[in-house]
């Protein structure tokens, strides 16, 4: 645990970025008796001004990993810790059993649900789709997946003497019995000056045990494993073997990389936890994670979620065309107004459109004057996934593919 925040309640603390969990962290610290100021670094509508904070004296500054390192308050001479580290401190010593923390560019939610599918007894699952109490799968509410959002689910899981599986963006609090990185994909954060993958790996180092994608390793971690050390895929089924647990299972979803990798990761994680993963053969597809259905004879493939990328969209199109060959395809693609942690880049949207070559195109854009709109003048434009889906025709014998990055 970082030592920049101690048990001394006379400490004066500064929390940056109120809209991505800093406000939650500040409130939690105040409840514990600390004096805390906060700065809304993006909108300037909450807390105190940066100028007032710069003129004050603090024992510690708490900042998100995605904040531009050139931000002046990061250079005011005070000790710094991340939101992830602060959340780890606030989770406290009364931990769920086990505590499993999951991060990664893609596959977090599906991995979390697949692992929860295997867990026995009471527990809490926290993902971008909401917070659920198990085994009832009762929806308790919905928050973001900032590190601060794990504080309350951790307390609830401990109070019911249960487990916690928590999805977290851009890293983890680092208190887990098991920390999982679902993807080796990297991109720039913090004003383009930092590696998202490096930030995630750094946060995982304080987890007791770590599960990583093949090809990734952490410096000096004594108990780290890769998925490929434990499981393999032969084109039709997953095989697993670890510490006396061995076997295999198959599933139609394994044909899809967007499910295959999370199911392999969940199977490996289960083995590390001493759980046989064979019940994953009955795992059901999640809404927005390549769920299919039909309306008026139109095949609808829903691949819209917070992890939607060009690759998941291209894969979804191929999957839809395998189900219904030669059918005209209507692609709804873009980014919803809802906040997501990792943007759907315009270049990636263009790549997906070019690869798929849809018969009908609808662009969901936050800015109707975006350059991509002028590049596809024949496209319909919508401001949200809901609007685009509502107006899309359901013509018998056609495909409607939803590939909008949105908070789900």
């Amino acid at each position: 645990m970082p030592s920049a925040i101690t048990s001394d309640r006379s400490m004066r603390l500064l929390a940056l970025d109120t809209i991505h969990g800093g406000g939650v962290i500040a409130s939690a610290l105040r409840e514990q008796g600390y004096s805390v100021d906060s700065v809304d670094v993006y909108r300037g509508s909450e807390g105190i001004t940066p100028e007032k904070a710069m003129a004050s004296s603090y024992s510690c500054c708490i900042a998100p990993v995605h904040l531009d390192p050139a931000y002046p308050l990061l250079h005011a001479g005070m000790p710094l810790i991340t939101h992830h580290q602060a959340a780890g401190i606030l989770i406290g010593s009364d931990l769920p059993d086990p505590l499993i923390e999951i991060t990664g560019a893609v596959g977090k939610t599906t991995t979390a649900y697949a692992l929860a599918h295997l867990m026995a007894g009471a527990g809490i699952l926290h993902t971008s789709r909401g917070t659920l109490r198990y085994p009832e799968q009762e929806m308790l509410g919905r928050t973001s997946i900032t590190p601060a959002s794990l504080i309350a689910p951790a307390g609830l899981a401990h109070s019911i003497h249960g487990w916690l599986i928590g999805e977290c963006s851009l890293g983890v609090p680092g208190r887990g019995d098991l920390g999982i990185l679902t993807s080796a994909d990297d991109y720039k954060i913090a004003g383009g000056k930092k590696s998202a993958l490096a930030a995630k790996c750094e946060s995982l180092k304080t987890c007791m045990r770590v599960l990583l994608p093949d090809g990734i390793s952490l410096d000096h971690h004594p108990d780290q494993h890769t998925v490929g050390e434990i499981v393999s895929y032969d084109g039709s089924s997953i095989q697993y073997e670890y510490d006396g647990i061995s076997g295999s299972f198959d599933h139609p979803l394994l044909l899809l990389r967007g499910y295959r990798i999370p199911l392999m990761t969940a199977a490996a994680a289960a083995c590390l936890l001493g759980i046989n993963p064979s019940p994953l053969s009955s795992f059901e597809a999640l809404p927005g994670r390549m769920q299919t259905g039909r309306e008026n004879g139109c095949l609808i493939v829903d691949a819209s979620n917070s992890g939607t990328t060009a690759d998941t969209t291209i894969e979804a199109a191929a999957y839809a065309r395998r189900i219904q060959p030669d059918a005209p395809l209507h692609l709804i693609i873009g980014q919803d107004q809802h906040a997501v942690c990792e943007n759907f880049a315009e270049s990636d949207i263009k790549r997906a459109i070019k690869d798929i070559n849809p018969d009908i195109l609808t662009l969901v854009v936050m800015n109707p004057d975006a350059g991509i709109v002028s590049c596809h003048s024949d496209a319909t434009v919508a401001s949200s996934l809901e609007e685009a889906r509502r107006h899309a025709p359901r013509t018998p014998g056609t495909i409607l593919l939803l590939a909008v990055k949105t908070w789900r």
Side-chain angles (χ1 to χ4, degrees):
M1 284 290 95
S3 58
I5 298 179
T6 70
S7 59
D8 181 3
R9 279 357 187 226
S10 67
M11 296 183 75
R12 192 176 180 201
L13 308 174
L14 178 64
L16 304 182
D17 191 2
T18 56
I19 62 173
H20 295 110
V24 175
I25 289 170
S27 296
L29 287 166
R30 290 188 193 108
E31 289 177 5
Q32 294 194 5
Y34 293 97
S35 173
V36 188
D37 286 336
S38 59
V39 175
D40 183 346
V41 300
Y42 295 112
R43 301 173 305 179
S45 61
E46 298 179 52
I48 65 173
T49 65
E51 293 76 17
K52 184 175 180 179
M54 186 66 78
S56 302
S57 177
Y58 299 99
S59 306
C60 177
C61 177
I62 305 162
V65 295
H66 60 254
L67 184 60
D68 190 325
Y71 189 74
L73 282 169
L74 299 180
H75 302 275
M78 60 188 122
L80 298 171
I81 66 170
T82 68
H83 280 195
H84 294 84
Q85 292 170 322
I89 293 170
L90 287 163
I91 286 171
S93 58
D94 295 328
L95 300 176
D97 182 22
L99 169 54
I100 301 151
E101 301 174 331
I102 302 176
T103 192
V106 293
K108 298 185 294 296
T109 302
T110 305
T111 300
Y113 267 85
L115 191 52
H117 183 74
L118 300 171
M119 301 296 287
I124 300 294
L125 172 65
H126 174 75
T127 74
S128 60
R129 299 188 70 231
T131 303
L132 282 77
R133 185 201 305 266
Y134 276 66
E136 304 93 338
Q137 297 194 38
E138 174 192 0
M139 178 63 74
L140 302 177
R142 189 173 183 188
T143 62
S144 68
I145 54 169
T146 65
S149 297
L150 276 179
I151 299 169
L156 178 57
H158 179 264
S159 72
I160 64 173
H161 307 288
W163 47 264
L164 172 66
I165 298 172
E167 176 185 351
C168 193
S169 60
L170 294 175
V172 297
R175 302 297 306 282
D177 299 286
L178 177 62
I180 301 173
L181 178 66
T182 60
S183 166
D185 294 358
D186 197 11
Y187 50 92
K188 293 297 183 181
I189 58 172
K193 299 170 184 176
K194 291 184 180 180
S195 157
L197 181 60
K200 294 166 189 174
C201 288
E202 184 64 28
S203 71
L204 285 161
K205 289 181 179 178
T206 54
C207 293
M208 291 182 62
R209 177 177 279 186
V210 177
L211 178 63
L212 304 165
D214 293 352
I216 300 293
S217 63
L218 304 183
D219 293 336
H220 311 301
H221 195 288
D223 197 354
Q224 56 182 302
H225 307 265
T226 61
V227 172
E229 294 172 1
I230 301 170
V231 304
S232 61
Y233 175 65
D234 66 2
S236 61
S237 64
I238 288 176
Q239 292 81 40
Y240 52 88
E241 183 172 1
Y242 178 81
D243 197 23
I245 300 174
S246 62
S248 66
F249 65 90
D250 56 22
H251 199 299
L253 290 173
L254 294 177
L255 294 173
L256 300 169
R257 178 180 172 82
Y259 274 101
R260 183 169 66 251
I261 301 304
L263 287 172
M264 291 176 70
T265 303
C271 289
L272 291 174
L273 294 167
I275 300 168
N276 193 309
S278 62
L280 286 175
S281 61
S282 63
F283 180 70
E284 296 184 358
L286 302 178
R289 269 71 182 178
M290 222 75 83
Q291 190 178 54
T292 62
R294 290 186 184 273
E295 293 182 20
N296 193 36
C298 171
L299 173 65
I300 300 178
V301 177
D302 189 348
S304 295
N305 58 74
S306 60
T308 298
T309 66
D311 290 337
T312 63
T313 303
I314 292 167
E315 181 182 48
Y319 179 60
R321 284 167 167 158
R322 282 201 300 270
I323 297 174
Q324 197 157 301
D326 303 320
L329 187 148
H330 179 179
L331 173 63
I332 297 177
I333 188 170
Q335 181 162 315
D336 211 334
Q337 296 282 0
H338 300 298
V340 289
C341 297
E342 296 144 358
N343 288 336
F344 198 169
E346 187 175 299
S347 59
D348 288 336
I349 294 173
K350 290 179 178 178
R351 176 165 69 89
I353 294 170
K354 181 179 179 180
D355 188 284
I356 295 168
N357 190 26
D359 299 278
I360 304 172
L361 176 64
T362 297
L363 294 171
V364 175
V365 294
M366 294 184 286
N367 175 13
D369 297 322
I372 193 169
V373 175
S374 60
C375 292
H376 297 277
S377 57
D378 58 338
T380 302
V381 178
S383 63
S384 69
L385 170 61
E386 180 182 358
E387 177 190 339
R389 181 167 187 161
R390 185 171 61 250
H391 291 109
R394 272 65 162 173
T395 306
T398 65
I399 297 168
L400 179 60
L401 172 57
L402 310 175
V404 177
K405 197 174 188 73
T406 188
W407 189 251
R408 252 184 176 183

